[in-house]
């Protein structure tokens, strides 16, 4: 495979509660090796039917605010037709329509081009899965 396209899978322990996991350092570590100073695009993808990728501020309460907003928008109750797993688990299958399972971000000079307060985050409301896989893919520019 050409070095113009590089991919790696990161295993992320999410535990048994709703969570937002900051992946930014993992993205940066991957790019130091894969991008090697080049421009291109980083795609972050979570291959799960009940998780998503968000670009948000973390550490100032926004991650908790996001989970609270998702809980209001997608309550964990018995309204969902998809009914296996924990009570309200059907809402976890709707989550990727609100928080998509991917993000594509610019890379300039081998570095992720995020705004000052932006972080790349895994959003997981599914309490039945304790570990997630996240795929980082770097596509080098021409």
């Amino acid at each position: 495979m050409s070095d113009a396209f590089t991919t790696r899978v990161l295993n992320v322990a999410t535990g048994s509660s709703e969570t937002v996991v900051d992946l930014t350092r993992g993205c940066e570590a991957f790019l130091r090796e894969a991008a090697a100073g080049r421009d291109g695009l980083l795609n972050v993808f979570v291959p799960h039917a009940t998780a998503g990728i968000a670009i948000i501020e973390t550490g100032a309460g926004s991650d908790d605010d996001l989970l609270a907003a998702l809980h209001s928008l997608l309550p964990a109750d018995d309204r969902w037709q998809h009914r296996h797993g924990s009570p309200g688990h059907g809402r976890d299958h709707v989550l990727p329509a609100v928080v998509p399972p991917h993000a594509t971000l610019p890379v300039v000079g081998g570095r992720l081009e995020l705004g000052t307060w932006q972080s790349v985050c895994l959003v997981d409301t599914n309490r039945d899965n304790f570990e997630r896989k996240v795929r980082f893919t770097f596509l080098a520019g021409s």
Side-chain angles (χ1 to χ4, degrees):
M1 179 180 294
S2 166
D3 68 348
F5 180 88
T6 307
T7 190
R8 179 172 303 139
V9 175
L10 176 69
N11 292 312
V12 180
T14 55
S16 60
S17 60
E18 299 175 2
T19 190
V20 174
V21 179
D22 191 338
L23 302 172
T24 309
R25 287 188 180 173
C27 292
E28 291 167 342
F30 169 70
L31 289 171
R32 274 192 296 279
E33 188 176 316
R38 297 176 293 171
D39 295 348
L41 296 172
L42 172 67
N43 181 265
V44 182
F45 176 71
V46 56
H48 298 281
T50 58
I53 301 295
I55 310 301
I56 63 168
E57 177 181 6
T58 59
S62 297
D63 34 358
D64 290 333
D65 289 342
L66 174 59
L67 291 175
L70 289 171
H71 205 275
S72 294
L73 182 63
L74 305 170
D77 58 22
D78 65 356
R79 74 182 69 201
W80 308 101
Q81 293 188 35
H82 187 106
R83 295 186 184 266
H84 75 86
S86 298
H89 173 64
R91 61 100 182 225
D92 299 326
H93 287 273
V94 177
L95 174 77
V98 177
V99 181
H102 59 88
T104 300
L105 305 160
V107 176
V108 177
R111 297 184 54 127
L112 194 55
E113 284 291 300
L114 292 173
T116 303
W117 304 112
Q118 290 180 317
S119 296
V120 181
C121 297
L122 169 67
V123 180
D124 188 359
T125 59
N126 183 353
R127 297 171 298 193
D128 296 334
N129 273 3
F130 306 123
E131 187 170 301
R132 299 297 187 157
K133 294 186 181 311
V134 179
R135 178 175 297 279
F136 297 142
T137 303
F138 175 70
L139 178 62
S142 53

